[in-house]
Amino acid sequence: MRAGGSDPIREAARLLAGRRNAVALTGAGISVESGIPSFRGAQGMWAKYDPMEYATLHAFMRNPRKVWEMLSEMVSVCGFAAPNAAHKGLAALEERGVVRAVITQNVDGLHQAAGSRRVIEYHGNLDELLCVYCWKRYPTRLRWTPGTVPLCDCGEILKPNVVLFGEPIPWLAQEQAEEEARTCGVLVVIGTSAQVSPACDIPRIAKESGAAVVEINPEETSLSGHVTDIHLRGSASEVLQRMLGALST
Ligand SMILES: [Zn+2]
């Protein structure tokens, strides 16, 4: 928030409306209100499952059935979740021509469910299963049921098409994300402190390329203060709904 008394939400809305080429970078915080706890929080997956034991490519290759204990829970939680007002608000901003793309670190598919059309999935998506032996792909809903381990036609155990620790970011998503960061007028960072490499490069690339950075996070992050130009504190849904209201007036 800047000193000087002006309403930061109106200031951010003016910036978005003026430049009309904003890109959003989202993380776990935007899906918390949809009932998906942040991985790293007290209720998160990593409090229950040690990610080094359950979420690395090495662990999957060694013991995929064990890794599926964690994956089953993740797929179930995300499968029951519905987009919240923040996902819908971002889709509305795209519809109005204010936001042109969403780069997300989430694997829950909720941006697409809310109606966002240009979504760059940095860490893949749980909706698809992939065979790491023959590279065949399947829709998760057609191949997996709770309590089972999904198998490929070749007989191997399928992996969700998400980036596990130790795996590279899909090159196309990385290229597209960096291109969006280089060419956007405003980067809106929502529900992430963008600390995990290489997603942490996106705000820096945008800033160095001349974009303004608007941050929507309830707390201070490592971006606040030096990379962030306007910090809007609060829940993503509340702030985005107020932003839509400000854009309408
Ligand atoms: Zn296969």
Side-chain angles (χ1 to χ4, degrees):
M1 204 180 291
R2 283 179 180 171
S6 76
D7 175 358
I9 289 195
R10 286 196 170 280
E11 196 184 341
R14 268 198 300 275
L15 196 60
L16 288 172
R19 299 198 182 182
R20 302 195 72 80
N21 59 351
V23 168
L25 171 66
T26 68
I30 198 169
S31 292
V32 167
E33 290 172 83
S34 291
I36 304 174
S38 171
F39 285 102
R40 291 168 201 282
Q43 305 299 317
M45 208 61 97
W46 303 155
K48 193 167 169 186
Y49 299 100
D50 177 353
M52 290 304 108
E53 245 181 274
Y54 285 92
T56 68
L57 182 62
H58 181 68
F60 184 85
M61 300 307 283
R62 199 180 50 211
N63 191 348
R65 287 182 188 277
K66 180 177 175 181
V67 171
W68 263 101
E69 291 169 24
M70 179 276 291
L71 289 172
S72 294
E73 192 168 326
M74 197 193 282
V75 176
S76 297
V77 168
C78 292
F80 283 114
N84 65 53
H87 299 105
K88 291 176 190 165
L90 266 185
L93 288 173
E94 186 180 344
E95 182 74 33
R96 290 188 192 191
V98 175
V99 165
R100 69 172 193 216
V102 177
I103 304 165
T104 187
Q105 299 168 84
N106 300 340
V107 295
D108 52 36
L110 292 180
H111 287 300
Q112 293 92 326
S116 286
R117 287 185 299 268
R118 179 148 169 77
V119 181
I120 299 165
E121 293 177 311
Y122 220 61
H123 293 151
N125 192 314
L126 287 169
D127 284 349
E128 192 174 58
L129 299 171
L130 172 74
C131 178
V132 294
Y133 296 91
C134 72
W135 302 109
K136 202 163 174 186
R137 292 161 188 248
Y138 306 87
T140 303
R141 66 182 188 286
L142 297 182
R143 210 72 189 186
W144 177 80
T145 47
T148 67
V149 169
L151 296 177
C152 182
D153 287 342
C154 78
E156 296 291 347
I157 294 175
L158 294 162
K159 180 180 102 55
N161 196 9
V162 297
V163 176
L164 297 177
F165 291 104
E167 285 192 282
I169 301 298
W171 70 268
L172 185 60
Q174 174 135 24
E175 287 289 314
Q176 289 176 336
E178 289 183 6
E179 177 67 15
E180 293 292 351
R182 264 193 301 274
T183 57
C184 67
V186 184
L187 182 75
V188 187
V189 179
I190 308 171
T192 175
S193 53
Q195 278 178 318
V196 178
S197 177
C200 56
D201 292 336
I202 300 297
R204 181 185 55 76
I205 292 169
K207 185 81 178 178
E208 286 173 6
S209 306
V213 176
V214 174
E215 180 183 356
I216 303 174
N217 273 322
E219 312 288 345
E220 293 268 315
T221 70
S222 56
L223 301 172
S224 317
H226 64 287
V227 177
T228 299
D229 294 292
I230 304 174
H231 185 182
L232 307 174
R233 289 168 199 272
S235 78
S237 60
E238 181 211 333
V239 170
L240 280 168
Q241 290 307 309
R242 286 178 59 199
M243 178 105 81
L244 277 165
L247 281 165
S248 302
T249 55

